[in-house]
Amino acid sequence: MNIEETQDWFSTLRRFGIKPGLERTTRVLAALGNPEKGLRFYHVAGTNGKGSVCAMLSAMLRATGARVGVYTSPGLAGFNGRMTIDGQRIEDDEFARYAACVRDVMEADGGEDPLTEFEVLTVMALLYFAAAAVDVVVWETGLGGRYDATNVVTPCVTAITNVSYDHVQILGPTLTDIAFDKAGIIKHGVPVVTGADGEAYRMIEQVAKTQGAPLMRLTRDFSLVRTGQTGLSQTGYYRGLHRDTAEVNLSLFGRHQLANAAVALAMLETQIDNRETDHWARAIAALPTVRWPLRFEVFRGASGPVVLDGAHNPGAAFQLSRALTDFSVSQGSQNEWSMLIGVLADKDVTPMLRSMLPHAKDVIICRPNHVRGADPADIRASVHMLRPDLPVRVIENVHEATSVAVREADALVIWGSLYMVEQARETISKLEMNYWI
């Protein structure tokens, strides 16, 4: 297959939707010689922060001299952006070649219980990383953990960043249910790091004990406390599992990124010998270089800041709200924000709006270019219910809505579905805006 034929084939996979379970993936991997067996994985699950943890881990591991494969979802630049080696996404010809390998096995299997789109991508990533003989793979779950396709591997360390409400129709209605599913990535004897608390932590602790897995908990066993802030940069004191570091500099903004960085550092600590001080120093020095698009990514608009954030569930919206307050204080202003919002229909939008609308002075609502994109009229009704005083417009097309919002707003935040925010970013990139420093 060439890349066009590959894209056509992928379009046929979407009808299979989401089908949790590992049997399909393990069957195809066995037919392909189990490429995952020779790889070393840092496996990351959680409701929010997975991508940021993966970005920081990747940078630190590369700084220590490792060749690093990263698998995330969703990724910038389409499917190719989901699998990278040392920051470079897979090329089209390689992508097509590994897709053809998976398709051939699926066809030889008789077409019964075929792989979903995500499962195909997961198998392709394993083939790609195995062929390249990477030293380590930073491996992000897609949805949940226990029955997620990524859970076919045995990692050297796992992490569950945090647990809050998302995908409840699949993972379960309570935090305990969601935590149980995410804790499914915990393997026998493999260290697990978590930032979860409350009832979610208690479930993770229970699973870890059952698996005989050493469990490290944020604030109890390790922490990163902010000691300073300049612009979008933060400085913190890391109290670690085996070592303390007085000055850790982060380029990712927001208090939640301190927790994410602490999880990444603790994961790394479980794998670095206490005597490897040079590796640790190089890892710490890499953190200020990390950029993670669509996570409080700030551009300099003509009249003020333009913030992009894929806050797509209640927990993420809460953290974005706090970050907006911190950002305004850091700039010596009390910005009211124009907002461009687009979410998916299966998200609980009301608590998200409760967190975000206190910052809003006006709102534009668009429809994400995704099969699950929410009807803007429904979101407008939810906005009016919470803030009947707020001016609200619907501009369905994401690119048109972004152009209007950027042109008219003094301070703008674009938030919601990662798919929508990525589309908005494409429009902004054509305007050649500079990053906010």
Side-chain angles (χ1 to χ4, degrees), residues 66-353:
R67 191 156 185 254
V68 182
V70 180
Y71 181 57
T72 59
S73 62
L76 284 180
F79 289 145
N80 298 55
R82 295 190 181 199
M83 52 193 85
T84 64
I85 295 176
D86 287 349
Q88 300 300 309
R89 65 177 190 155
I90 186 173
E91 296 290 342
D92 282 350
D93 58 342
E94 291 180 294
F95 188 91
R97 183 166 71 254
Y98 294 122
C101 290
V102 179
R103 183 200 60 181
D104 290 347
V105 170
M106 289 171 63
E107 290 179 350
D109 201 34
E112 293 189 16
D113 198 18
L115 299 187
T116 65
E117 179 183 273
F118 181 72
E119 289 166 344
V120 168
L121 288 166
T122 301
V123 175
M124 287 171 57
L126 292 169
L127 289 170
Y128 178 47
F129 297 145
V134 297
D135 299 309
V136 64
V137 177
V138 177
W139 192 239
E140 181 187 351
T141 59
L143 192 158
R146 185 172 302 276
Y147 303 112
D148 185 77
T150 62
N151 204 26
V152 295
V153 308
T154 300
C156 59
V157 59
T158 62
I160 301 170
T161 57
N162 50 60
V163 177
S164 60
Y165 289 103
D166 200 10
H167 301 295
V168 294
Q169 70 280 10
I170 296 173
L171 303 182
T174 71
L175 288 179
T176 299
D177 293 328
I178 297 168
F180 177 73
D181 195 284
K182 294 183 186 301
I185 71 166
I186 298 173
K187 302 295 190 299
H188 179 73
V190 174
V192 56
V193 174
T194 187
D197 56 16
E199 62 186 284
Y201 173 77
R202 289 190 289 274
M203 173 52 70
I204 292 166
E205 182 181 42
Q206 180 180 324
V207 175
K209 284 181 179 177
T210 301
Q211 292 288 350
L215 177 61
M216 280 68 72
R217 183 183 186 183
L218 180 66
T219 71
R220 184 191 68 189
D221 302 306
F222 63 96
S223 62
L224 180 58
V225 178
R226 184 160 63 187
T227 56
Q229 177 184 320
T230 304
L232 293 178
S233 299
Q234 306 180 87
T235 302
Y237 182 95
Y238 178 67
R239 178 182 60 81
L241 304 174
H242 310 297
R243 69 195 90 206
D244 297 343
T245 303
E247 189 168 318
V248 176
N249 296 303
L250 302 180
S251 57
L252 300 181
F253 186 76
R255 282 176 266 184
H256 57 295
Q257 294 294 4
L258 294 165
N260 292 333
V263 168
L265 286 163
M267 290 182 77
L268 189 65
E269 269 202 280
T270 68
Q271 302 302 305
I272 289 185
D273 189 292
N274 290 343
R275 295 164 295 183
E276 292 178 334
T277 55
D278 181 55
H279 276 194
W280 182 252
R282 281 186 280 162
I284 294 294
L287 285 173
T289 70
V290 176
R291 287 194 180 277
W292 191 230
L294 313 185
R295 278 72 170 183
F296 210 88
E297 189 177 22
V298 190
F299 293 89
R300 191 173 294 278
S303 302
V306 177
V307 175
L308 284 79
D309 197 290
H312 60 284
N313 57 46
F318 173 76
Q319 295 296 349
L320 173 57
S321 174
R322 292 209 309 177
L324 286 174
T325 298
D326 288 348
F327 178 79
S328 295
V329 170
S330 74
Q331 301 302 309
S333 64
Q334 293 296 324
N335 287 337
E336 286 189 302
W337 296 82
S338 297
M339 293 188 179
L340 172 57
I341 305 170
V343 298
L344 299 186
D346 57 358
K347 300 299 180 180
D348 188 1
V349 71
T350 299
M352 297 162 66
L353 293 172

